[in-house]
Coordinates of all heavy atoms in Angstrom, one line a residue:
M1 N 92.4 -6.4 118.9 CA 92.9 -7.6 118.4 C 91.9 -8.6 118.2 O 92.1 -9.4 117.2 CB 94.0 -8.0 119.5 CG 94.9 -9.1 119.0 SD 95.8 -8.5 117.7 CE 97.1 -9.7 117.7
R2 N 90.9 -8.6 118.9 CA 89.8 -9.6 118.8 C 89.1 -9.4 117.4 O 88.8 -10.4 116.7 CB 88.9 -9.5 119.9 CG 87.6 -10.4 119.9 CD 88.0 -11.8 120.3 NE 86.8 -12.6 120.3 CZ 86.8 -13.9 119.9 NH1 87.9 -14.4 119.5 NH2 85.7 -14.5 119.9
I3 N 88.9 -8.1 117.0 CA 88.3 -7.9 115.8 C 89.1 -8.3 114.6 O 88.6 -8.9 113.6 CB 88.0 -6.3 115.6 CG1 87.0 -5.9 116.7 CG2 87.5 -6.0 114.3 CD1 86.7 -4.4 116.8
L4 N 90.4 -8.2 114.7 CA 91.3 -8.7 113.6 C 91.2 -10.2 113.5 O 91.1 -10.7 112.4 CB 92.8 -8.2 113.9 CG 93.8 -8.7 112.9 CD1 93.5 -8.1 111.5 CD2 95.2 -8.4 113.3
Q5 N 91.2 -10.9 114.6 CA 91.1 -12.3 114.6 C 89.8 -12.8 114.0 O 89.7 -13.7 113.2 CB 91.2 -12.9 116.0 CG 92.6 -12.8 116.5 CD 92.7 -13.3 118.0 OE1 91.6 -13.5 118.7 NE2 93.9 -13.5 118.5
L6 N 88.7 -12.1 114.3 CA 87.4 -12.4 113.7 C 87.3 -12.1 112.2 O 86.7 -12.9 111.4 CB 86.3 -11.6 114.4 CG 86.0 -12.0 115.9 CD1 85.0 -11.0 116.5 CD2 85.5 -13.4 115.9
E7 N 88.0 -11.1 111.8 CA 88.0 -10.7 110.4 C 88.8 -11.8 109.6 O 88.5 -12.2 108.5 CB 88.6 -9.4 110.1 CG 87.6 -8.2 110.5 CD 86.4 -8.2 109.5 OE1 86.5 -8.5 108.3 OE2 85.3 -8.0 110.1
L8 N 90.0 -12.2 110.2 CA 90.8 -13.2 109.5 C 90.0 -14.5 109.4 O 90.1 -15.3 108.4 CB 92.1 -13.4 110.2 CG 93.1 -12.3 110.1 CD1 94.3 -12.6 110.9 CD2 93.6 -12.2 108.6
K9 N 89.3 -14.9 110.5 CA 88.6 -16.1 110.5 C 87.5 -16.1 109.4 O 87.2 -17.0 108.7 CB 87.9 -16.3 111.9 CG 87.2 -17.6 112.0 CD 86.6 -17.8 113.5 CE 85.8 -19.0 113.6 NZ 85.3 -19.1 115.0
R10 N 86.8 -14.9 109.3 CA 85.8 -14.7 108.3 C 86.4 -14.8 106.9 O 85.8 -15.5 106.0 CB 85.1 -13.4 108.4 CG 84.0 -13.1 107.5 CD 83.3 -11.8 107.7 NE 84.1 -10.7 107.4 CZ 84.2 -10.1 106.2 NH1 83.5 -10.6 105.2 NH2 85.0 -9.1 106.0
V11 N 87.5 -14.2 106.7 CA 88.2 -14.2 105.3 C 88.6 -15.7 105.0 O 88.4 -16.2 103.9 CB 89.3 -13.3 105.2 CG1 90.2 -13.6 104.0 CG2 88.8 -11.9 105.3
L12 N 89.2 -16.4 105.9 CA 89.7 -17.8 105.7 C 88.6 -18.8 105.5 O 88.8 -19.9 105.0 CB 90.6 -18.2 106.8 CG 92.0 -17.5 106.8 CD1 92.8 -17.9 108.0 CD2 92.7 -17.7 105.5
K13 N 87.4 -18.5 105.9 CA 86.2 -19.4 105.7 C 85.8 -19.4 104.2 O 85.2 -20.3 103.8 CB 85.0 -19.0 106.6 CG 85.2 -19.5 108.0 CD 83.9 -19.2 108.7 CE 83.9 -19.7 110.1 NZ 82.7 -19.4 110.9
A14 N 86.1 -18.4 103.5 CA 85.7 -18.2 102.1 C 86.4 -19.2 101.2 O 87.6 -19.4 101.3 CB 85.9 -16.8 101.6
R15 N 85.7 -19.8 100.3 CA 86.2 -20.8 99.4 C 87.2 -20.2 98.4 O 88.2 -20.7 98.1 CB 85.1 -21.5 98.6 CG 85.6 -22.6 97.7 CD 84.4 -23.3 97.1 NE 84.8 -24.3 96.2 CZ 84.1 -24.9 95.3 NH1 82.8 -24.6 95.2 NH2 84.6 -25.8 94.5
L16 N 86.9 -19.0 97.9 CA 87.7 -18.2 97.0 C 89.0 -17.9 97.6 O 90.1 -18.0 96.9 CB 87.0 -16.9 96.5 CG 87.7 -16.1 95.5 CD1 87.9 -16.9 94.2 CD2 87.0 -14.8 95.3
T17 N 89.1 -17.6 98.9 CA 90.4 -17.4 99.5 C 91.3 -18.6 99.4 O 92.5 -18.5 99.1 CB 90.2 -17.0 101.0 OG1 89.3 -15.9 101.1 CG2 91.5 -16.7 101.7
W18 N 90.8 -19.8 99.7 CA 91.6 -21.0 99.6 C 92.0 -21.3 98.2 O 93.2 -21.8 98.0 CB 90.8 -22.2 100.2 CG 90.8 -22.0 101.8 CD1 89.7 -21.6 102.4 CD2 91.8 -22.2 102.6 NE1 90.1 -21.6 103.8 CE2 91.4 -22.0 103.9 CE3 93.1 -22.6 102.5 CZ2 92.2 -22.0 105.0 CZ3 94.0 -22.8 103.6 CH2 93.5 -22.5 104.9
I19 N 91.2 -21.1 97.2 CA 91.5 -21.2 95.8 C 92.7 -20.4 95.5 O 93.7 -20.7 94.8 CB 90.3 -21.1 94.9 CG1 89.3 -22.2 95.2 CG2 90.7 -21.0 93.5 CD1 88.0 -21.9 94.5
L20 N 92.6 -19.1 95.8 CA 93.6 -18.1 95.5 C 95.0 -18.4 96.2 O 96.0 -18.3 95.7 CB 93.2 -16.7 95.9 CG 92.1 -16.1 95.0 CD1 91.6 -14.8 95.5 CD2 92.5 -16.1 93.5
L21 N 94.8 -18.9 97.5 CA 96.1 -19.3 98.2 C 96.8 -20.4 97.6 O 98.0 -20.5 97.5 CB 95.7 -19.6 99.7 CG 95.5 -18.4 100.6 CD1 95.1 -18.9 102.0 CD2 96.8 -17.6 100.7
T22 N 95.9 -21.4 97.1 CA 96.5 -22.6 96.4 C 97.2 -22.2 95.1 O 98.3 -22.6 94.8 CB 95.4 -23.6 96.1 OG1 94.8 -24.0 97.4 CG2 95.9 -24.8 95.4
L23 N 96.5 -21.3 94.3 CA 97.1 -20.8 93.1 C 98.4 -20.1 93.3 O 99.4 -20.2 92.6 CB 96.1 -20.0 92.3 CG 95.0 -20.7 91.6 CD1 93.9 -19.8 91.1 CD2 95.4 -21.7 90.6
A24 N 98.4 -19.2 94.4 CA 99.6 -18.5 94.7 C 100.8 -19.4 95.1 O 101.9 -19.2 94.6 CB 99.3 -17.6 95.9
L25 N 100.5 -20.5 95.8 CA 101.6 -21.5 96.2 C 102.1 -22.2 94.9 O 103.2 -22.4 94.8 CB 101.1 -22.4 97.3 CG 100.9 -21.8 98.6 CD1 100.3 -22.9 99.6 CD2 102.3 -21.4 99.2
L26 N 101.2 -22.6 94.1 CA 101.6 -23.3 92.8 C 102.4 -22.3 92.0 O 103.4 -22.7 91.4 CB 100.3 -23.7 92.1 CG 99.6 -24.9 92.7 CD1 98.3 -25.2 91.9 CD2 100.5 -26.2 92.8
L27 N 102.0 -21.1 91.8 CA 102.7 -20.1 91.0 C 104.1 -19.9 91.6 O 105.1 -19.8 90.9 CB 102.0 -18.8 90.9 CG 102.6 -17.7 90.1 CD1 102.7 -18.2 88.6 CD2 101.8 -16.5 90.1
A28 N 104.2 -19.8 93.0 CA 105.5 -19.6 93.6 C 106.4 -20.8 93.3 O 107.6 -20.6 93.2 CB 105.3 -19.4 95.1
A29 N 105.9 -22.0 93.4 CA 106.7 -23.1 93.1 C 107.1 -23.2 91.7 O 108.3 -23.5 91.4 CB 105.9 -24.4 93.4
L30 N 106.3 -22.8 90.8 CA 106.7 -22.7 89.3 C 107.8 -21.7 89.1 O 108.7 -21.9 88.4 CB 105.5 -22.4 88.5 CG 105.7 -22.2 87.0 CD1 106.1 -23.5 86.4 CD2 104.5 -21.6 86.4
L31 N 107.6 -20.5 89.7 CA 108.6 -19.5 89.5 C 109.9 -19.8 90.2 O 111.0 -19.2 89.8 CB 108.0 -18.1 90.1 CG 106.9 -17.5 89.2 CD1 106.4 -16.3 89.9 CD2 107.3 -17.3 87.8
A32 N 109.9 -20.6 91.2 CA 111.2 -21.0 91.8 C 111.8 -22.1 91.0 O 113.1 -22.3 91.0 CB 110.9 -21.6 93.3
W33 N 111.1 -23.0 90.4 CA 111.6 -24.1 89.5 C 112.1 -23.6 88.2 O 113.2 -24.2 87.8 CB 110.5 -25.1 89.3 CG 110.9 -26.2 88.4 CD1 111.7 -27.3 88.7 CD2 110.5 -26.4 87.1 NE1 111.8 -28.1 87.6 CE2 111.1 -27.5 86.6 CE3 109.6 -25.6 86.2 CZ2 110.9 -28.0 85.3 CZ3 109.4 -26.1 84.9 CH2 110.1 -27.3 84.5
L34 N 111.5 -22.7 87.6 CA 111.9 -22.3 86.2 C 113.3 -21.8 86.1 O 114.0 -22.2 85.2 CB 110.9 -21.2 85.7 CG 109.6 -21.7 85.1 CD1 108.7 -20.5 84.8 CD2 109.9 -22.5 83.9
P35 N 113.9 -20.9 87.0 CA 115.3 -20.5 86.8 C 116.2 -21.6 87.0 O 117.2 -21.7 86.3 CB 115.4 -19.4 87.9 CG 114.1 -19.0 88.3 CD 113.2 -20.1 88.0
V36 N 115.9 -22.5 87.9 CA 116.8 -23.6 88.1 C 116.8 -24.6 86.9 O 117.9 -25.1 86.5 CB 116.4 -24.4 89.4 CG1 117.3 -25.7 89.6 CG2 116.6 -23.5 90.6
S37 N 115.7 -24.8 86.3 CA 115.6 -25.7 85.2 C 116.3 -25.2 84.0 O 116.7 -26.0 83.1 CB 114.1 -26.1 84.9 OG 113.5 -24.9 84.4
H38 N 116.4 -24.0 83.8 CA 117.1 -23.4 82.6 C 118.5 -23.0 82.9 O 119.1 -22.3 82.0 CB 116.3 -22.2 82.1 CG 115.0 -22.6 81.5 ND1 113.9 -22.8 82.3 CD2 114.6 -22.9 80.3 CE1 112.9 -23.1 81.5 NE2 113.3 -23.2 80.3
C39 N 119.1 -23.3 84.0 CA 120.5 -23.0 84.3 C 121.4 -24.0 83.6 O 121.2 -25.2 83.6 CB 120.7 -23.1 85.8 SG 122.4 -22.4 86.3
Y40 N 122.5 -23.4 83.0 CA 123.3 -24.3 82.1 C 124.8 -23.8 82.3 O 125.1 -22.6 82.3 CB 122.9 -24.1 80.7 CG 123.6 -25.0 79.7 CD1 123.2 -26.3 79.5 CD2 124.6 -24.5 78.9 CE1 123.8 -27.2 78.6 CE2 125.3 -25.4 78.1 CZ 124.8 -26.6 77.9 OH 125.5 -27.5 77.0
S41 N 125.7 -24.8 82.5 CA 127.1 -24.4 82.6 C 128.0 -25.4 81.8 O 127.6 -26.5 81.7 CB 127.5 -24.5 84.1 OG 126.9 -23.6 84.9
N42 N 129.1 -24.9 81.3 CA 130.0 -25.6 80.6 C 131.3 -25.7 81.4 O 131.7 -24.6 81.9 CB 130.3 -25.1 79.2 CG 129.1 -25.2 78.3 OD1 128.3 -26.2 78.4 ND2 128.9 -24.3 77.4
D43 N 132.0 -26.8 81.3 CA 133.3 -26.9 82.0 C 134.1 -28.1 81.4 O 133.5 -28.8 80.5 CB 133.1 -27.2 83.5 CG 134.3 -27.1 84.3 OD1 135.3 -26.4 83.9 OD2 134.5 -27.7 85.4
T44 N 135.3 -28.1 81.7 CA 136.1 -29.3 81.2 C 136.7 -30.0 82.4 O 137.0 -29.4 83.4 CB 137.3 -28.8 80.4 OG1 138.1 -27.8 81.1 CG2 136.9 -28.2 79.1
D45 N 136.7 -31.4 82.3 CA 137.3 -32.1 83.4 C 138.8 -32.3 83.4 O 139.4 -31.6 82.6 CB 136.6 -33.5 83.5 CG 136.8 -34.3 82.2 OD1 137.6 -33.9 81.3 OD2 136.2 -35.4 82.1
E46 N 139.4 -33.1 84.2 CA 140.8 -33.2 84.3 C 141.4 -33.7 83.0 O 142.6 -33.3 82.7 CB 141.2 -34.2 85.4 CG 140.7 -33.8 86.8 CD 139.3 -34.2 87.1 OE1 138.9 -35.3 86.5 OE2 138.6 -33.5 87.8
T47 N 140.7 -34.5 82.3 CA 141.3 -35.0 81.0 C 141.1 -34.1 79.8 O 141.5 -34.4 78.7 CB 140.7 -36.4 80.7 OG1 139.3 -36.2 80.6 CG2 141.0 -37.4 81.8
G48 N 140.3 -33.0 80.0 CA 140.1 -32.1 79.0 C 138.8 -32.3 78.2 O 138.5 -31.6 77.2
N49 N 138.0 -33.2 78.6 CA 136.7 -33.5 78.0 C 135.7 -32.5 78.4 O 135.6 -32.1 79.7 CB 136.2 -34.9 78.4 CG 137.1 -36.0 77.9 OD1 137.7 -35.8 76.8 ND2 137.2 -37.1 78.6
P50 N 134.8 -32.0 77.5 CA 133.8 -31.1 77.9 C 132.7 -31.7 78.8 O 132.3 -32.8 78.5 CB 133.2 -30.5 76.6 CG 133.6 -31.6 75.6 CD 134.9 -32.3 76.1
V51 N 132.3 -31.0 79.8 CA 131.2 -31.4 80.7 C 130.1 -30.4 80.7 O 130.4 -29.2 81.0 CB 131.8 -31.6 82.2 CG1 130.7 -32.0 83.1 CG2 132.9 -32.6 82.2
N52 N 128.9 -30.8 80.4 CA 127.8 -29.9 80.3 C 126.9 -30.1 81.6 O 126.5 -31.3 81.8 CB 126.9 -30.1 79.1 CG 127.8 -29.8 77.8 OD1 128.6 -28.9 77.9 ND2 127.5 -30.5 76.8
L53 N 126.7 -29.1 82.3 CA 125.9 -29.2 83.5 C 124.6 -28.5 83.4 O 124.6 -27.3 82.9 CB 126.6 -28.7 84.8 CG 128.0 -29.4 85.1 CD1 128.7 -28.6 86.2 CD2 127.8 -30.8 85.5
T54 N 123.5 -29.1 83.9 CA 122.2 -28.4 83.8 C 121.5 -28.6 85.1 O 121.8 -29.4 85.9 CB 121.3 -29.0 82.7 OG1 121.1 -30.4 83.0 CG2 121.9 -28.9 81.3
G55 N 120.5 -27.7 85.4 CA 119.7 -27.8 86.6 C 120.5 -27.6 87.9 O 121.3 -26.6 88.0
L56 N 120.2 -28.3 88.9 CA 120.7 -28.2 90.2 C 122.2 -28.3 90.2 O 122.9 -27.7 91.0 CB 120.1 -29.1 91.2 CG 118.6 -28.7 91.6 CD1 118.1 -29.7 92.6 CD2 118.6 -27.3 92.2
A57 N 122.7 -29.3 89.4 CA 124.2 -29.5 89.3 C 124.9 -28.2 88.8 O 126.0 -27.9 89.3 CB 124.5 -30.7 88.4
S58 N 124.3 -27.5 87.9 CA 124.8 -26.3 87.4 C 124.8 -25.2 88.4 O 125.8 -24.4 88.6 CB 124.1 -25.8 86.1 OG 124.5 -24.5 85.7
V59 N 123.8 -25.1 89.2 CA 123.7 -24.1 90.3 C 124.8 -24.4 91.3 O 125.4 -23.5 91.8 CB 122.3 -24.2 90.9 CG1 122.2 -23.3 92.2 CG2 121.2 -23.7 89.9
A60 N 124.9 -25.7 91.7 CA 126.0 -26.0 92.8 C 127.3 -25.7 92.2 O 128.2 -25.2 92.9 CB 125.9 -27.5 93.0
Y61 N 127.6 -26.0 90.9 CA 128.9 -25.7 90.3 C 129.1 -24.2 90.3 O 130.3 -23.7 90.7 CB 129.0 -26.2 88.9 CG 130.1 -25.8 88.1 CD1 131.4 -26.4 88.4 CD2 130.0 -24.9 87.1 CE1 132.5 -26.0 87.7 CE2 131.2 -24.5 86.4 CZ 132.4 -25.0 86.7 OH 133.5 -24.6 86.0
E62 N 128.2 -23.4 90.0 CA 128.3 -21.9 90.0 C 128.6 -21.4 91.3 O 129.4 -20.5 91.5 CB 127.2 -21.3 89.3 CG 127.0 -21.5 87.8 CD 128.2 -20.9 87.0 OE1 128.7 -19.9 87.4 OE2 128.5 -21.5 85.9
K63 N 127.9 -22.0 92.4 CA 128.1 -21.5 93.7 C 129.5 -21.8 94.1 O 130.2 -21.0 94.8 CB 127.1 -22.2 94.7 CG 125.8 -21.5 94.8 CD 125.0 -22.2 95.9 CE 123.8 -21.4 96.2 NZ 123.0 -22.0 97.3
E64 N 130.1 -23.0 93.8 CA 131.4 -23.4 94.1 C 132.4 -22.5 93.5 O 133.4 -22.0 94.1 CB 131.6 -24.8 93.7 CG 132.9 -25.4 94.1 CD 133.1 -26.8 93.6 OE1 132.2 -27.6 93.7 OE2 134.3 -27.1 93.1
R65 N 132.1 -22.2 92.2 CA 133.0 -21.3 91.4 C 133.2 -19.9 92.0 O 134.2 -19.3 92.0 CB 132.6 -21.2 90.0 CG 133.5 -22.0 89.0 CD 133.1 -21.7 87.6 NE 133.3 -20.4 87.2 CZ 132.7 -19.7 86.3 NH1 131.8 -20.4 85.5 NH2 132.9 -18.5 86.0
Q66 N 132.0 -19.4 92.5 CA 131.9 -18.0 93.0 C 132.2 -17.9 94.5 O 132.1 -16.8 95.0 CB 130.6 -17.4 92.6 CG 130.4 -17.3 91.1 CD 129.0 -16.9 90.7 OE1 128.2 -16.6 91.6 NE2 128.7 -16.9 89.5
A67 N 132.5 -19.0 95.1 CA 132.7 -18.9 96.6 C 133.8 -18.0 97.0 O 133.7 -17.3 98.0 CB 132.9 -20.3 97.1
D68 N 134.9 -17.9 96.2 CA 136.0 -17.0 96.5 C 135.7 -15.6 96.5 O 136.2 -14.8 97.3 CB 137.2 -17.3 95.6 CG 137.9 -18.7 95.8 OD1 137.6 -19.3 96.9 OD2 138.5 -19.2 94.9
A69 N 134.8 -15.3 95.5 CA 134.4 -13.8 95.4 C 133.3 -13.4 96.3 O 133.0 -12.2 96.4 CB 134.1 -13.6 93.9
A70 N 132.6 -14.4 96.8 CA 131.4 -14.1 97.7 C 131.8 -13.5 99.0 O 132.9 -13.7 99.5 CB 130.5 -15.3 97.9
G71 N 130.9 -12.8 99.6 CA 131.2 -12.2 100.9 C 131.0 -10.7 100.9 O 130.6 -10.1 100.0
S72 N 131.4 -10.1 102.0 CA 131.2 -8.7 102.2 C 132.4 -8.0 101.6 O 133.6 -8.5 101.5 CB 131.1 -8.3 103.6 OG 132.2 -8.7 104.4
V73 N 132.2 -6.7 101.2 CA 133.3 -5.9 100.6 C 134.0 -5.2 101.8 O 133.4 -4.5 102.5 CB 132.7 -4.9 99.6 CG1 133.8 -4.0 99.1 CG2 132.0 -5.6 98.5
T74 N 135.2 -5.5 101.9 CA 136.1 -4.8 102.9 C 137.2 -4.0 102.2 O 137.5 -4.2 101.1 CB 136.8 -5.9 103.8 OG1 137.6 -6.7 103.1 CG2 135.7 -6.7 104.5
P75 N 137.7 -3.0 103.0 CA 138.8 -2.3 102.4 C 140.0 -3.1 101.9 O 140.6 -2.9 100.9 CB 139.3 -1.3 103.5 CG 138.0 -1.2 104.3 CD 137.3 -2.5 104.3
E76 N 140.3 -4.2 102.6 CA 141.4 -5.1 102.2 C 141.1 -5.8 100.9 O 142.0 -5.9 100.1 CB 141.6 -6.2 103.3 CG 142.0 -5.6 104.7 CD 142.0 -6.6 105.7 OE1 141.7 -7.8 105.4 OE2 142.2 -6.2 106.9
R77 N 139.9 -6.3 100.8 CA 139.5 -7.0 99.5 C 139.5 -5.9 98.3 O 139.9 -6.3 97.2 CB 138.1 -7.6 99.7 CG 138.1 -8.8 100.6 CD 136.8 -9.4 100.7 NE 136.8 -10.4 99.6 CZ 135.7 -11.2 99.4 NH1 134.7 -11.2 100.2 NH2 135.7 -12.1 98.4
V78 N 139.1 -4.7 98.6 CA 139.1 -3.7 97.5 C 140.5 -3.4 97.1 O 140.9 -3.4 95.9 CB 138.4 -2.4 97.9 CG1 138.6 -1.3 96.9 CG2 136.9 -2.7 98.1
R79 N 141.4 -3.2 98.1 CA 142.8 -3.0 97.8 C 143.5 -4.1 97.1 O 144.2 -3.9 96.1 CB 143.6 -2.7 99.2 CG 145.1 -2.4 99.0 CD 145.8 -2.2 100.3 NE 145.6 -3.3 101.2 CZ 146.2 -4.5 101.1 NH1 147.0 -4.8 100.2 NH2 146.0 -5.4 102.0
K80 N 143.2 -5.3 97.5 CA 143.7 -6.5 96.7 C 143.2 -6.6 95.3 O 143.9 -6.9 94.4 CB 143.3 -7.8 97.5 CG 144.0 -9.0 96.9 CD 143.7 -10.3 97.8 CE 144.2 -11.5 97.1 NZ 143.8 -12.7 97.9
A81 N 141.9 -6.2 95.1 CA 141.4 -6.3 93.8 C 142.0 -5.2 92.9 O 142.3 -5.5 91.7 CB 139.9 -6.1 93.8
V82 N 142.2 -4.0 93.5 CA 142.8 -2.9 92.7 C 144.3 -3.3 92.4 O 144.7 -3.1 91.2 CB 142.8 -1.6 93.4 CG1 143.6 -0.5 92.8 CG2 141.3 -1.1 93.5
E83 N 145.0 -3.9 93.3 CA 146.4 -4.3 93.0 C 146.5 -5.4 91.9 O 147.3 -5.3 91.1 CB 147.0 -4.8 94.3 CG 147.4 -3.7 95.3 CD 147.9 -4.3 96.6 OE1 147.9 -5.6 96.8 OE2 148.2 -3.5 97.5
T84 N 145.5 -6.3 92.0 CA 145.5 -7.4 90.9 C 145.2 -6.8 89.6 O 145.8 -7.1 88.6 CB 144.4 -8.4 91.3 OG1 144.7 -8.9 92.6 CG2 144.4 -9.5 90.3
Y85 N 144.2 -5.8 89.5 CA 143.8 -5.1 88.3 C 145.0 -4.4 87.7 O 145.3 -4.5 86.5 CB 142.6 -4.2 88.5 CG 142.3 -3.4 87.4 CD1 141.7 -3.8 86.2 CD2 142.7 -2.0 87.4 CE1 141.4 -3.0 85.1 CE2 142.4 -1.2 86.3 CZ 141.8 -1.7 85.2 OH 141.5 -0.9 84.1
Q86 N 145.7 -3.6 88.6 CA 146.8 -2.8 88.1 C 148.0 -3.7 87.6 O 148.7 -3.4 86.7 CB 147.3 -1.9 89.2 CG 146.3 -0.7 89.4 CD 146.7 0.1 90.6 OE1 147.6 -0.2 91.4 NE2 146.0 1.4 90.7
A87 N 148.2 -4.8 88.3 CA 149.2 -5.8 87.8 C 148.9 -6.4 86.5 O 149.8 -6.6 85.6 CB 149.4 -6.9 88.8
C88 N 147.6 -6.6 86.2 CA 147.2 -7.1 84.9 C 147.4 -6.0 83.8 O 147.7 -6.3 82.6 CB 145.8 -7.6 84.9 SG 145.7 -9.1 85.9
V89 N 147.0 -4.8 84.1 CA 146.9 -3.7 83.1 C 148.3 -3.2 82.8 O 148.7 -2.9 81.6 CB 146.0 -2.6 83.6 CG1 146.1 -1.4 82.7 CG2 144.6 -3.0 83.6
L90 N 149.2 -3.1 83.8 CA 150.5 -2.4 83.6 C 151.5 -3.4 83.2 O 151.7 -4.5 83.1 CB 150.9 -1.7 84.9 CG 150.0 -0.6 85.3 CD1 150.5 0.0 86.6 CD2 149.9 0.5 84.2

């Protein structure tokens, strides 16, 4: 265990390691921001006017819309989904 600690200490002393860690964190932040910034949703309000949502507001709206369908798959939910599908088709 002592050898591992010494090796980690030696690696973390290197300047290139800190540069690469900084670049990795910046890239992770960029890759987390990009999908949210390009998220787009359309909806209509109570009066029938179109509402365009972008960014975090769009993500929150989509989470709210999909809350009923989210969760684990249980036999009851499958049965209910099949019954709803068959009622629509027949």
Side-chain angles (χ1 to χ4, degrees):
M1 191 62 163
R2 177 82 175 139
I3 293 175
L4 179 62
Q5 290 175 346
L6 290 173
E7 285 296 322
L8 286 174
K9 185 177 177 181
R10 184 178 67 86
V11 168
L12 291 176
K13 280 185 178 179
R15 184 176 178 195
L16 182 61
T17 302
W18 288 103
I19 292 171
L20 290 175
L21 282 173
T22 304
L23 287 174
L25 286 174
L26 290 173
L27 183 63
L30 176 70
L31 291 176
W33 173 75
L34 278 175
V36 173
S37 67
H38 289 86
C39 189
Y40 186 82
S41 297
N42 294 326
D43 192 22
T44 55
D45 59 6
E46 299 84 29
T47 60
N49 297 327
V51 176
N52 298 326
L53 301 172
T54 59
L56 289 175
S58 174
V59 172
Y61 171 73
E62 290 296 331
K63 275 187 170 181
E64 181 183 322
R65 252 186 64 202
Q66 296 174 4
D68 293 337
S72 60
V73 178
T74 61
E76 296 168 7
R77 292 182 87 176
V78 172
R79 183 182 48 77
K80 185 177 176 183
V82 169
E83 288 173 359
T84 303
Y85 170 75
Q86 288 175 346
C88 291
V89 171
L90 299 177

